[in-house]
Amino acid sequence: MVLSRRRFLAGAGLAAGGVVAGAAGGPLARHAFGLDHPPLSGGYASAADVLADAQSPSTTITYHVRTNEPVVAFTFDDGPAPKWTPMVLDALDEWQVPATFFMVGRNLRRHADVVHGRLDRHEIGNHTWSHPDLATLDLRHAVDEVRRGDEAIRAVTGRTPTLLRPPYGHLGGSTVLAADKLGYRLVLWSHQMDERRYRRDPQQQVRAIVDAVQPGSIVLAHDVGQPRRLVALRHLGEMFAGLRARGFRLVTVSELLAMDQNDPARRP
């Protein structure tokens, strides 16, 4: 599913305040911020006041892609780091699978050696500089976080990232406008690892992904974090094998987006 920036900003939720995607909904976000009613202007709701700053009407928010082709994209957030990233790269190498890594800029700067020479088939996306909740920041600070992440990726990898995943999957007005200002497409996910639920049953975690994925799915995993991540990371090969047995091809997010039947850029 792809939302244009115009459609997103037209939603009443954004005009009224921050919007949260993923595990937490709008009411939960408001309680987390200690607010009964988000502000109508300023702070993290600023998109309602600074629409004149919008640069790219084609800025989109993608959860999954509509396609008839049996393709799926695996994504890994929050790295790199020495603890789990090499394990993920080893599995991807063994199965010749491309993936999209949404990297945190300061982690990439600190652990550039972990990924040096190992990213040839993979795509790099921006996950900000320090992993703050962009939905709680004003536009200036949101732009700074995204820009610094961008600069780290360019400096270490020599690549220009085009995809942004906001930390925690949280969206707010400043998040969308920061992506717009810096020329990013926002990418969320349609399926994710549930390591807490399956912490004692890794095979069920494998089945949960293999059975649920549909053409155009985007799968969220993490290559850093708590030991529970291993429930998924130690069994990536089984997921890849199961998906290939179903006829799926594994691609990067950008390759997936190029197949999107709903992408405005592909319409005549």
Side-chain angles (χ1 to χ4, degrees):
M1 179 173 68
V2 178
L3 299 180
S4 68
R5 178 185 58 78
R6 183 173 300 171
R7 284 181 59 199
F8 182 84
L9 294 181
L14 180 58
V19 177
V20 179
L28 291 179
R30 290 195 290 272
H31 290 309
F33 304 150
L35 299 169
D36 291 328
H37 301 285
L40 292 177
S41 63
Y44 65 87
S46 59
D49 296 319
V50 292
L51 291 178
D53 286 349
Q55 303 292 321
S56 306
S58 61
T59 298
T60 58
I61 304 163
T62 301
Y63 299 82
H64 61 89
V65 164
R66 183 176 180 181
T67 178
N68 293 323
E69 299 188 43
V71 288
V72 56
F74 271 66
T75 65
F76 297 90
D77 284 12
D78 296 354
K83 201 165 188 180
W84 312 129
T85 303
M87 176 187 301
V88 172
L89 290 167
D90 288 347
L92 295 170
D93 285 347
E94 180 181 356
W95 289 87
Q96 296 291 291
V97 168
T100 300
F101 287 86
F102 287 96
M103 294 187 175
V104 174
R106 67 181 180 186
N107 290 347
L108 180 58
R109 285 279 195 182
R110 188 177 300 148
H111 303 298
D113 58 312
V114 171
V115 296
H116 180 70
R118 304 204 63 183
L119 298 176
D120 287 349
R121 75 167 60 84
H122 306 303
E123 180 174 34
I124 309 303
N126 192 341
H127 203 39
T128 73
W129 167 253
S130 64
H131 204 274
D133 185 344
L134 293 180
T136 68
L137 302 183
D138 62 21
L139 178 58
R140 180 173 67 86
H141 288 96
V143 168
D144 183 65
E145 272 289 334
V146 177
R147 180 178 284 129
R148 292 181 70 191
D150 184 286
E151 290 170 351
I153 292 169
R154 291 171 187 255
V156 174
T157 71
R159 303 187 192 182
T160 300
T162 61
L163 306 178
L164 171 66
R165 176 169 285 165
Y168 315 107
H170 288 188
L171 295 175
S174 296
T175 312
V176 177
L177 281 169
D180 178 289
K181 189 177 184 70
L182 298 174
Y184 276 96
R185 298 184 67 160
L186 287 158
V187 175
L188 298 178
W189 58 88
S190 58
H191 299 78
Q192 67 184 87
M193 306 298 176
D194 192 349
E195 298 100 336
R196 285 189 177 91
R197 180 178 181 182
Y198 299 121
R199 64 187 182 277
R200 293 188 177 88
D201 191 353
Q203 290 308 309
Q204 186 60 32
Q205 173 67 95
V206 172
R207 289 191 293 271
I209 294 297
V210 172
D211 294 345
V213 160
Q214 300 296 320
S217 291
I218 298 174
V219 178
L220 168 66
H222 295 80
D223 58 323
V224 304
Q226 299 299 315
R228 67 173 183 272
R229 303 293 190 204
L230 295 173
V231 171
L233 300 185
R234 283 177 171 163
H235 300 273
L236 289 172
E238 294 163 71
M239 297 181 200
F240 301 153
L243 288 167
R244 283 178 172 167
R246 287 187 60 197
F248 277 87
R249 183 163 60 92
L250 293 111
V251 298
T252 65
V253 170
S254 286
E255 290 173 323
L256 196 67
L257 290 170
M259 305 174 195
D260 189 358
Q261 297 171 354
N262 284 346
D263 189 344
R266 302 183 69 222
R267 294 173 188 168

